[in-house]
Amino acid sequence: MNEAQWWRDAVVYQVYPRSFADADGDGIGDLRGVVDRVPYLADLGVDAVWLSPFYPSALADGGYDIDDHRAVDPRLGTLDDVDALVASLAEHGMRLVVDIVPNHTSDRHVWFREALASPPGSPARARYHFRDGRGASGELPPADWRSGFGGLMWTRTPDGQWYLHIHAAEQPDLNWANEEVRQDFLTTLAFWADRGVAGFRIDVAHLLAKDLPEDLPAEVELAAAAPGRHPFIDRDEVHDVYAEWRALFDRYSPPRTAVAEAWVPAERRGRYACATGLGQAFNFDLLTSNWDAEEFAAVIRRNLELAEQSGSSSTWVLSNHDVVRHTSRYGLPQGTPDDPQLGRQWLLARGRTPRLDAALGERRARAATLLLLALPGSTYLYQGEELGLHEVPDLPDEDRQDPTFLRSDGADAGRDGCRVPLPWTRSSASFGFGAGGAHLPQPAWFGEHSVGAQRADPSSTLHLYRRALRLRRELRVDHEPASVRWHPAPPGVLHLARGGGWHCLTTFSAPAPAPRGTVVLASAPLADDGRVPPGVTVWFRQG
Ligand code: GLC
């Protein structure tokens, strides 16, 4: 494929650096740890690494509260380490994608400190959203908006004004109508692109543009806003920002890529994903889907159509650092999703009462992965899913770090359970994560999921991922969304072909007859007579 289009069917592996590998033994993963594991990633067979934030941060939100967008957290390394990572990945045929967090800074950012030290109405405050409060002496917040992280979206400063933060109070929202803010992010993007970064993952890309009228609507009125008309969600003018970014990306060779994290209705995703915008947008639809053939088929069909309409390629995602690991989601009792983002499974796991069938979850997760890897488009893998890792649901409260836990007084168990440091070895201290312990406690069962344990077992999930990624490269036929051919299949089963005689069959809730062709990979053993039991994906070739 043409070099400029590498991202269209890339397999991108997300590294959450503080929990990946700790080279200096301080209990926190670091960039050297990632560099040391580049051969592991090459052997796994991914095309690119997306690195979650590694910038200086007080970790009020796991690094998504950034003090300086053009520096490295000294606990994680140096700019030289970033260069070393780019170089080492390139040597192994891989690329680096970094996280850009443009919606907010941390409250320790030089701009925010300057804003607090400056009077109301000053240029320094104009980079953020400061407002006077309501009530006789401004003691009431400008609006009753509540943050998804718990608590209000407004915090009062010592001089009485309030500032907006959609997330935690340590994450003040930037004002994207401010020219200096816009210019500064162009500088940041060029800074990383000049260092050889191939692409960017854009954090909450749908929140930047804001239109906050004098009289702010109440929270109940927000829900009724028409698409594109909400004061801060998915406003149409956010795309002016991305058009500017696109012009910058296209000055590089190959052009830099970007993928939007935009929690917007599927039909609005193309605005972010089109060629004049960021180029790609995450499709999170499978995060809210049950293990159900019809739900999967609907999501796949819809997203292939959308990718075709926008001229982008679809992105397939089962897990990331914000959601319950899919191995656990698929082992929990099914039900109608009743949480807008993540479904009932999320609530169950986060409620720490998971009636988890661990083996069932692993079986389905393996099948889901093979199905995704058979689809046109790119796939984003989250560190540890290649080990079949489950969510860690029972972290002690005193160890939890996620602001969603802290700000909700524990009502939401938060996202730490998918951020526990990876197990590399079966038994050594912190399972080989580092010499100095792990910043979140690892459960005893991590040992049997470790890289070391799985390397020794040819039937392990790690080997399945390696084989699948190799075969995907070999069998790669056509990344065009329209290249999928659906075949008739019994209820509860999906069967599709990708051309070149390559077929993919997934049994969700019912068995399927033996595939007519040569099986090249199966996520679990088939019956002696070749029939496919439920919860399996088979890749086979005809002709
Ligand atoms: C995104 C990140 C999440 C973070 C939030 C605020 O959703 O994925 O981890 O908490 O943005 O930056």
Side-chain angles (χ1 to χ4, degrees):
M1 190 185 304
N2 148 4
E3 167 88 351
Q5 303 285 311
W6 69 269
W7 49 273
R8 280 192 180 272
D9 59 353
V11 176
V12 184
Y13 182 97
Q14 180 188 1
V15 168
Y16 190 74
R18 290 175 180 81
S19 302
F20 186 68
D22 175 20
D24 66 8
D26 66 355
I28 301 174
D30 45 39
L31 295 180
R32 277 280 140 201
V34 187
V35 173
D36 291 347
R37 307 293 177 175
V38 166
Y40 168 80
L41 297 169
D43 184 55
L44 183 60
V46 301
D47 301 299
V49 169
W50 149 30
L51 202 54
S52 277
F54 51 88
Y55 315 108
S57 167
L59 301 186
D61 180 19
Y64 284 86
D65 47 319
I66 297 173
D67 301 345
D68 178 351
H69 295 84
R70 301 195 282 272
V72 177
D73 185 332
R75 288 168 295 185
L76 268 65
T78 63
L79 281 173
D80 286 345
D81 293 333
V82 177
D83 295 343
L85 181 57
V86 170
S88 175
L89 287 170
E91 234 171 73
H92 290 83
M94 293 180 281
R95 300 168 205 258
L96 182 65
V97 172
V98 301
D99 224 303
I100 295 291
V101 185
N103 179 67
H104 42 268
T105 66
S106 80
D107 60 347
R108 308 196 310 176
H109 191 283
V110 60
W111 278 356
F112 195 69
R113 287 195 267 122
E114 199 186 329
L116 287 187
S118 304
S122 58
R125 289 210 174 178
R127 298 187 191 113
Y128 294 91
H129 295 281
F130 279 86
R131 278 287 174 114
D132 291 330
R134 293 169 300 148
S137 54
E139 74 285 6
L140 297 174
D144 64 346
W145 306 346
R146 295 194 66 77
S147 163
F149 277 17
L152 277 178
M153 277 195 202
W154 298 92
T155 290
R156 200 167 196 199
T157 64
D159 65 25
Q161 273 209 313
W162 298 73
Y163 65 90
L164 175 72
H165 52 86
I166 294 180
H167 301 92
E170 295 87 347
Q171 295 167 296
D173 279 50
L174 284 166
N175 173 10
W176 274 85
N178 182 291
E179 191 51 31
E180 210 185 331
V181 169
R182 287 169 92 119
Q183 286 306 324
D184 192 70
F185 270 88
L186 290 171
T187 308
T188 294
L189 293 166
F191 178 86
W192 295 113
D194 289 345
R195 295 193 101 89
V197 163
F200 302 96
R201 177 263 187 193
I202 311 304
D203 192 67
V204 292
H206 57 308
L207 296 181
L208 274 50
K210 300 192 172 77
D211 182 15
L212 306 181
E214 211 32 58
D215 284 329
L216 297 176
E219 173 127 313
V220 287
E221 295 167 71
L222 291 181
R229 296 264 168 267
H230 190 284
F232 57 85
I233 298 179
D234 190 27
R235 293 190 59 80
D236 292 339
E237 69 268 23
V238 78
H239 301 292
D240 300 344
V241 172
Y242 301 136
E244 276 175 25
W245 291 15
R246 172 50 54 196
L248 182 144
F249 296 156
D250 287 349
R251 289 207 293 273
Y252 290 85
S253 176
R256 298 319 191 225
T257 66
V259 56
E261 185 218 15
W263 292 91
V264 298
E267 62 279 7
R268 299 217 14 123
R269 215 176 276 145
R271 295 162 187 253
Y272 298 83
C274 61
T276 52
L278 292 172
Q280 247 191 352
F282 282 128
N283 144 27
F284 290 135
D285 299 347
L286 290 176
L287 300 184
T288 49
S289 301
N290 285 301
W291 178 250
D292 178 275
E294 280 173 18
E295 281 189 45
F296 265 65
V299 166
I300 293 170
R301 283 179 200 276
R302 176 101 175 99
N303 279 283
L304 291 175
E305 270 166 36
L306 290 170
E308 206 170 11
Q309 284 161 20
S310 67
S312 182
S313 71
S314 194
T315 60
W316 305 106
V317 183
L318 292 172
S319 275
N320 62 35
H321 66 297
D322 289 332
V323 304
V324 171
R325 285 188 177 276
H326 64 276
T327 311
S328 295
R329 296 204 309 268
Y330 295 148
L332 290 166
Q334 283 199 188
T336 316
D338 55 8
D339 176 88
Q341 276 192 351
L342 298 154
R344 180 154 175 265
Q345 298 94 328
W346 160 279
L347 297 177
L348 283 169
R350 296 277 148 106
R352 285 161 285 171
T353 51
R355 284 162 286 151
L356 179 70
D357 183 337
L360 182 67
E362 282 164 43
R363 180 179 178 86
R364 290 172 172 173
R366 289 164 61 114
T369 297
L370 287 201
L371 169 56
L372 257 57
L373 289 174
L375 298 173
S378 61
T379 304
Y380 284 76
L381 308 178
Y382 177 52
Q383 66 179 35
E385 68 165 84
E386 78 278 19
L387 307 176
L389 273 194
H390 280 277
E391 184 83 359
V392 182
D394 48 3
L395 290 167
D397 284 356
E398 59 277 16
D399 287 317
R400 292 188 185 268
Q401 304 168 6
D402 188 6
T404 62
F405 170 75
L406 303 170
R407 290 178 62 89
S408 70
D409 290 327
D412 180 342
R415 300 164 294 180
D416 295 309
C418 64
R419 300 174 179 181
V420 175
L422 288 193
W424 293 92
T425 56
R426 195 191 271 272
S427 56
S428 49
S430 72
F431 299 105
F433 167 67
H439 66 94
L440 282 169
Q442 300 156 301
W445 52 262
F446 258 35
E448 81 218 30
H449 282 275
S450 65
V451 173
Q454 299 212 18
R455 272 207 177 118
D457 172 7
S459 69
S460 68
T461 299
L462 179 58
H463 281 292
L464 181 73
Y465 270 67
R466 287 179 63 244
R467 280 198 291 270
L469 291 172
R470 254 166 207 75
L471 271 169
R472 185 179 197 267
R473 273 195 184 151
E474 283 166 33
L475 297 169
R476 180 165 292 169
V477 270
D478 190 347
H479 64 84
E480 290 307 325
S483 62
V484 166
R485 295 273 167 272
W486 294 87
H487 282 244
V493 177
L494 296 187
H495 178 181
L496 51 91
R498 286 290 315 278
W502 179 22
H503 289 246
C504 174
L505 181 139
T506 304
T507 51
F508 282 78
S509 51
R516 277 185 293 172
T518 312
V519 172
V520 289
L521 192 62
S523 63
L526 307 186
D528 286 346
D529 60 2
R531 275 186 312 141
V532 190
V536 179
T537 292
V538 191
W539 289 359
F540 62 98
R541 294 196 85 153
Q542 282 182 348

